[in-house]
Amino acid sequence: MQAQPMQRHQVVITDFVTGALAAEEQILGDLADVAALNAFAEEELIGRIEDADGVMVYHNFGITSRTIERLNKCKIIVRCGVGVDNVDHKFARARGIPVANVPDYGTEDVADSAIGMALSLARGVSALNSYHRRDTGQWKFKPVAPLQRLRGRVFAIVGLGCIGEAVALRAKAFGMDVVFYDPYIPDGRDKALGIRRAESLSELLADAYIVSLHCPLTDATHHLIDAATLALLPRGAFLVNTARGGVVDTSAIPTAIASGQLAGAAIDVLAHEPPAEDDPLIVAWRDPRHPAHHRLIVNPHSAFYTEQGFHDMRTKGSRAIRRALLGEPLRNVVN
């Protein structure tokens, strides 16, 4: 009697990835057929995802219970990135579907971006470039004065995960006094890294010269930075966000810069991407007459990007799918 061929699994990539799927097929090709759906909204998944054995999700939109309840045989949902706020992992758990992330794909890249943004703000690089792009007749550093020497200044980190740690080490290399706030990190991490720990957010912000955000977006961290917490900073501080857009109430930033409370801000992530034309942050950023215009850096959720990081994201996500399809122990399960 002739053996029946093994049925191939079906794996779908919901969004973001397009074109050739060589990275995924190299890892999954012997087990599964891989399809990139290139969807831009959750509704576009209807009728295309129900029979998937594995689902890979990026960040163009969220996967809610409406989609998860239609998955008939899914063995794993992989969020190909660090944050999992765009996947209803609690509902997936109730359905018996593990959700895993890829927590280390772009650690160096995001850390480099955060430090690069911080240096550009604190050394006046971006602001002076913006000021003098127009012929003002004043070829001087005065528009960004007063700038302070970085050595010995407090570099404040919110969230000491993999990326937060990488940023801490980079900031230490510049001689900065690195302090972090993260209530979920056990004691001793500060001693291992040679940095200081703040017991509360208000304690962290009180002496901060640069604040860099590296926490996930949760109910507890939504709008963690807003007008009230910005007021806790010393006048003339800088803010960098490469974490999640919803962690910051960005509508408070233009006012804080106009008042001088913030000397500048660098924002890589927004709550809604792309932003609406009437978003207060975007309006101020684009308006040459607004005081925040020269002191804002806004990037399109790109801090993670390098060719190597993008490759890691795809291959590490694919390996997570492979482990699930083969019934092997899973890694980085968040639910």
Side-chain angles (χ1 to χ4, degrees):
M1 186 174 180
Q2 190 175 11
Q4 295 295 317
M6 184 178 67
Q7 184 176 6
R8 288 178 64 78
H9 297 288
Q10 304 298 316
V11 175
V12 298
I13 305 168
T14 60
D15 62 301
F16 190 65
V17 170
T18 59
L21 302 178
E24 293 80 9
E25 289 172 351
Q26 182 179 8
I27 293 168
L28 295 167
D30 61 327
L31 292 175
D33 296 320
V34 185
L37 305 184
N38 194 26
F40 291 90
E42 187 178 19
E43 292 71 24
E44 295 179 26
L45 302 178
I46 296 173
R48 308 170 73 190
I49 197 173
E50 287 76 3
D51 293 326
D53 298 285
V55 177
M56 300 171 72
V57 180
Y58 283 82
H59 61 252
N60 281 351
F61 52 85
I63 301 296
T64 68
S65 59
R66 297 193 302 274
T67 294
I68 296 170
E69 67 183 359
R70 299 200 313 273
L71 297 174
N72 299 318
K73 55 178 183 175
C74 185
K75 296 176 175 61
I76 190 170
I77 298 171
V78 178
R79 165 68 177 96
C80 296
V82 180
V84 294
D85 48 280
N86 66 329
V87 178
D88 191 340
H89 49 84
K90 292 181 180 179
F91 185 82
R93 178 180 179 178
R95 290 290 307 275
I97 303 173
V99 175
N101 70 342
V102 183
D104 63 336
Y105 78 92
T107 299
E108 305 102 310
D109 311 311
V110 178
D112 290 346
S113 294
I115 288 294
M117 287 179 155
L119 291 175
S120 185
L121 290 173
R123 294 299 307 134
V125 175
S126 176
L128 286 171
N129 181 70
S130 180
Y131 274 113
H132 292 302
R133 182 181 292 115
R134 295 178 301 138
D135 183 9
T136 61
Q138 296 186 10
W139 198 248
K140 297 180 179 180
F141 63 84
K142 292 292 182 67
V144 297
L147 293 183
Q148 308 299 328
R149 179 174 293 164
L150 292 178
R151 182 169 295 277
R153 295 278 165 180
V154 171
F155 191 102
I157 295 174
V158 181
L160 199 71
C162 295
I163 296 172
E165 281 194 18
V167 170
L169 295 174
R170 285 157 172 76
K172 277 187 64 180
F174 286 96
M176 300 197 73
D177 179 11
V178 181
V179 188
F180 81 95
Y181 170 66
D182 190 331
Y184 303 102
I185 295 296
D187 291 343
R189 189 78 61 82
D190 49 339
K191 292 183 178 180
L193 294 172
I195 63 179
R196 296 193 292 123
R197 179 177 201 142
E199 296 298 330
S200 66
L201 181 64
S202 57
E203 179 187 335
L204 179 79
L205 298 180
D207 298 316
Y209 186 58
I210 299 171
V211 180
S212 191
L213 304 176
H214 302 286
C215 56
L217 177 60
T218 66
D219 291 341
T221 63
H222 181 258
H223 284 186
L224 187 71
I225 303 299
D226 58 11
T229 46
L230 289 175
L232 300 176
L233 289 165
R235 188 174 176 83
F238 299 97
L239 175 69
V240 178
N241 186 16
T242 56
R244 280 291 179 269
V247 174
V248 178
D249 178 5
T250 54
S251 67
I253 290 177
T255 301
I257 292 177
S259 71
Q261 180 63 18
L262 276 181
I267 305 297
D268 181 67
V269 285
L270 296 166
H272 302 285
E273 297 173 350
E277 291 294 322
D278 61 352
D279 183 314
L281 183 83
I282 302 302
V283 171
W285 175 56
R286 288 176 171 162
D287 183 1
R289 298 164 298 178
H290 197 287
H293 174 73
H294 302 297
R295 294 178 175 269
L296 269 174
I297 299 172
V298 181
N299 280 184
H301 201 144
S302 58
F304 75 94
Y305 170 69
T306 61
E307 287 296 303
Q308 294 79 8
F310 191 31
H311 183 264
D312 284 349
M313 181 191 302
R314 298 176 68 171
T315 56
K316 288 174 180 285
S318 298
R319 290 192 185 102
I321 294 281
R322 184 178 182 87
R323 286 191 286 270
L325 297 182
L326 293 176
E328 296 176 354
L330 304 178
R331 300 179 194 169
N332 308 312
V333 173
V334 300
N335 65 338

